Amino acid sequence: MNQDSLINILSMGDHGVYVWIVIVVLFAILGSTIILLNRKIRQAKQEINEEG
Amino acid sequence: MDRSILFIETYKLYKRRRAWIGPVLVFLLIIISFPLTLDINSENPPQIYLSFIWISTLLVTMLGTELIFSDDFEDGTLEQYAVNNQLIEIVFYKVLVHWLLIGIPLAFVAFLFILSLDISIRISSIALICLIISNLIFINFFSLGNALSLKKGSILGLLITIPFLIPVLIVLGKMTTSALLGLSLVGHLSLLVGVMFLVASFIPFIISFILRTHLE
Amino acid sequence: MIKKFFHQFASPKSYFAIANKFGKPVLVFFFLLYLGALVWGLFFTPPDAIQGDSYRIIYMHVPASFMAQILFVVMAITSAVFLIWKLKLAAYVSKSIAPIGAIVTFFALFSGSIWGIPTWGTWWQWDARITSTLILFIMYLGLISLHASFENKDKADKFFSVLVLIGVVNIPIIKKSVDWWSTLHQSASITLTSKPTIDPVMLYPLMFSIVTFIGLIFGLVVLSSQNEILKREKYKSWVKNI
């Protein structure tokens, strides 16, 4: 597979930009939710350990 | 069933004149400001006026029921009723009194406004009946919202109850179009009346459950 | 008997232990699977005959809109469990679903309107499904703000659960009435419902993406409920031994 066909596949024709916007937003939302929750859980555990 | 509670509730709301004259006056002011922003001489379809009336009565009934439980909650009256196991009755009567003193006057003010717009008597009287029925539904749901958001302000109550009232608004909108087309309204009206009885008999139980949780 | 079972095995403590052990691996597992479904759908299926490549948003939009409704039903079940058996854990799970549901519903709306730009030529259409999804989104936000407005969280749990149950009774009514309403508009010439029957080449990745997305979102719910448990049971003694 050469480079041109890879770019062709990734750009998905005329409307590829819409698909990519949705993908980026989906993973931004999912990623930030996971990171935020993880950080909150870690903070809560830390707080509990300090108190105990 | 203690009938004296009904009289006490009526008297209490009647004495707080601002609580029941206020919403009617606000409604009147909104109605006055509506033609001022829409150019009443141009040929606007009556649908616009009717949909405006549905939505503004929705909001004004919310204003009118804002303090339905908070005073009695603060001075301990509700707790008294809860101890006597009369919470459901008091909720039922409160809703009824608010309907009589706020809901029905609002419907008549709206009726006069619709008559003033050259809309036929048939359609305006249909609108009057619809408003009387739907105001009871609105007041029931808003009392629920206000019971949930007791002392938290009415924004929260509005936010959580308006989604439940959207079906009623859709029925009203459907009725408007069929009335303007001259179709039969028996089906719509009976649907509205059925919803009214269902709501008026179930919601007070949920409200009294919520109030009891508040009092715990 | 059921009550005893619940109190033994569904205490926040044992739930947290299980979630702490398996939650993250399961989340990562489904995340990777969903990624695989996306790669399959996005790059290894032919473009749609009518919509071209923009139809590929379906692999994100349909799972999200599906989950938006499923999450509300799950929330209603846990709320009912809480109200009937007074099970604390159910209330925590129920409460932690709400923000996830709001996020998923928001994404469903967002991806739908982006999809609308190339296919309908407009980002918003007052169509029955879009409108009822928007109402669902507002209901999630209302639930979150109701829970947040109470200092006394035990009370907040009760009100939250009552409202969820009223909501779940109302959602079908709202959907039906909105469907009925949208027949008012004769202009709905392009609707999602008139979509041609889907080809198996696209159907299989779609099914796969829906299934993996369900797993992914439930992984998120577990994570969020862990957070909620830690927040609410801060002062219990079992928390010290994590």
Side-chain angles (χ1 to χ4, degrees):
Chain A
M1 192 189 284
N2 59 21
Q3 210 176 355
D4 273 357
S5 68
L6 190 68
I7 289 171
N8 261 338
I9 288 174
L10 287 182
S11 68
M12 285 185 267
D14 295 341
H15 298 316
V17 62
Y18 298 111
V19 183
W20 279 112
I21 289 173
V22 174
I23 294 174
V24 168
V25 169
L26 171 65
F27 283 99
I29 289 175
L30 285 179
S32 56
T33 315
I34 294 174
I35 290 170
L36 195 78
L37 284 174
N38 263 328
R39 192 194 291 162
K40 271 187 170 176
I41 290 174
R42 208 180 315 126
Q43 270 176 359
K45 279 183 183 171
Q46 221 164 32
E47 230 171 80
I48 290 163
N49 283 336
E50 276 167 15
E51 276 176 24
Chain B
M1 281 295 200
D2 193 351
R3 190 154 296 206
S4 64
I5 298 177
L6 180 61
F7 292 120
I8 293 169
E9 281 307 317
T10 317
Y11 184 69
K12 267 196 322 214
L13 185 63
Y14 173 77
K15 280 281 278 186
R16 273 194 303 133
R17 288 204 173 74
R18 196 165 49 93
W20 60 278
I21 298 180
V24 178
L25 289 179
V26 168
F27 187 63
L28 204 62
L29 278 174
I30 295 175
I31 275 182
I32 291 168
S33 55
F34 187 61
L36 299 179
T37 49
L38 194 75
D39 188 8
I40 203 139
N41 295 319
S42 66
E43 300 223 334
N44 288 308
Q47 242 174 341
I48 291 183
Y49 299 106
L50 289 170
S51 104
F52 150 74
I53 290 217
W54 308 140
I55 293 167
S56 43
T57 39
L58 177 82
L59 295 176
V60 173
T61 44
M62 179 65 205
L63 280 181
T65 53
E66 196 179 358
L67 299 174
I68 184 166
F69 297 120
S70 58
D71 282 358
D72 280 2
F73 179 72
E74 262 160 41
D75 65 14
T77 320
L78 276 184
E79 208 156 357
Q80 291 257 318
Y81 286 121
V83 169
N84 292 338
N85 237 345
Q86 284 176 315
L87 214 47
I88 293 169
E89 284 168 50
I90 194 76
V91 168
F92 185 76
Y93 285 138
K94 265 185 183 300
V95 169
L96 193 69
V97 166
H98 276 74
W99 182 50
L100 290 175
L101 285 181
I102 296 170
I104 293 180
L106 279 186
F108 275 99
V109 172
F111 175 65
L112 287 179
F113 173 66
I114 300 169
L115 271 187
S116 75
L117 290 170
D118 271 357
I119 295 175
S120 72
I121 294 230
R122 176 176 170 266
I123 290 177
S124 8
S125 45
I126 288 168
L128 175 68
I129 297 166
C130 286
L131 278 172
I132 290 175
I133 298 169
S134 59
N135 275 345
L136 183 58
I137 304 173
F138 291 163
I139 289 174
N140 262 299
F141 266 104
F142 286 140
S143 309
L144 175 78
N146 283 317
L148 276 174
S149 63
L150 203 60
K151 294 190 292 177
K152 306 279 179 202
S154 55
I155 296 286
L156 184 64
L158 267 179
L159 181 64
I160 54 190
T161 44
I162 286 189
F164 301 143
L165 291 171
I166 281 173
V168 178
L169 287 177
I170 289 172
V171 174
L172 288 175
K174 277 280 187 185
M175 284 188 83
T176 320
T177 31
S178 344
L180 292 173
L181 291 173
L183 301 174
S184 159
L185 289 169
V186 181
H188 291 112
L189 260 179
S190 50
L191 180 65
L192 210 56
V193 172
V195 171
M196 179 189 82
F197 278 118
L198 207 67
V199 165
S201 51
F202 273 113
I203 297 286
F205 285 96
I206 302 173
I207 296 175
S208 68
F209 173 78
I210 291 164
L211 288 177
R212 197 162 294 135
T213 315
H214 267 300
L215 291 168
E216 268 169 13
Chain C
M1 226 252 314
I2 298 172
K3 205 170 173 178
K4 201 182 164 196
F5 166 79
F6 272 143
H7 280 280
Q8 267 183 358
F9 296 99
S11 70
K13 185 184 170 185
S14 49
Y15 172 81
F16 193 90
I18 296 170
N20 214 13
K21 210 168 175 183
F22 300 111
K24 255 175 228 167
V26 168
L27 182 66
V28 171
F29 175 70
F30 278 112
F31 194 88
L32 292 177
L33 274 187
Y34 181 64
L35 218 58
L38 272 190
V39 170
W40 182 10
L42 292 179
F43 306 124
F44 296 100
T45 53
D48 188 80
I50 305 159
Q51 296 188 14
D53 277 305
S54 66
Y55 95 93
R56 294 179 200 278
I57 293 175
I58 203 173
Y59 301 115
M60 290 160 278
H61 176 72
V62 170
S65 345
F66 180 68
M67 270 325 269
Q69 292 160 42
I70 293 298
L71 281 179
F72 209 101
V73 176
V74 175
M75 200 157 72
I77 294 169
T78 49
S79 297
V81 169
F82 169 64
L83 285 180
I84 295 168
W85 288 297
K86 305 269 178 283
L87 195 69
K88 274 263 146 99
L89 178 64
Y92 298 156
V93 173
S94 191
K95 195 259 156 176
S96 55
I97 289 174
I100 305 289
I103 289 169
V104 171
T105 315
F106 171 77
F107 178 73
L109 283 171
F110 174 80
S111 58
S113 52
I114 292 285
W115 196 4
I117 296 171
T119 47
W120 298 344
T122 167
W123 64 277
W124 190 266
Q125 179 104 28
W126 286 104
D127 152 271
R129 287 208 220 179
I130 305 177
T131 313
S132 48
T133 310
L134 183 63
I135 296 169
L136 189 67
F137 179 58
I138 295 171
M139 281 167 83
Y140 275 121
L141 293 187
L143 284 169
I144 295 169
S145 56
L146 177 79
H147 202 283
S149 72
F150 284 96
E151 292 290 316
N152 183 344
K153 291 296 176 195
D154 294 334
K155 250 184 212 178
D157 281 341
K158 270 192 189 166
F159 295 144
F160 183 91
S161 308
V162 170
L163 197 64
V164 169
L165 288 181
I166 303 172
V168 87
V169 172
N170 263 279
I171 282 174
I173 300 173
I174 292 174
K175 276 184 80 90
K176 265 269 145 334
S177 63
V178 170
D179 272 344
W180 189 35
W181 155 78
S182 67
T183 54
L184 266 179
H185 298 242
Q186 57 278 68
S187 64
S189 47
I190 323 157
T191 53
L192 271 173
T193 44
S194 64
K195 165 177 66 185
T197 45
I198 191 162
D199 193 82
V201 181
M202 299 164 187
L203 184 66
Y204 294 142
L206 182 61
M207 297 302 258
F208 188 51
S209 68
I210 290 175
V211 171
T212 50
F213 195 76
I214 292 173
L216 172 59
I217 293 301
F218 276 114
L220 269 184
V221 168
V222 170
L223 202 64
S224 161
S225 64
Q226 275 178 291
N227 177 35
E228 184 66 21
I229 289 173
L230 280 185
K231 207 160 65 184
R232 299 280 295 278
E233 304 251 306
K234 215 189 256 177
Y235 303 111
K236 298 276 169 68
S237 55
W238 68 267
V239 188
K240 304 271 191 303
N241 309 320
I242 300 164

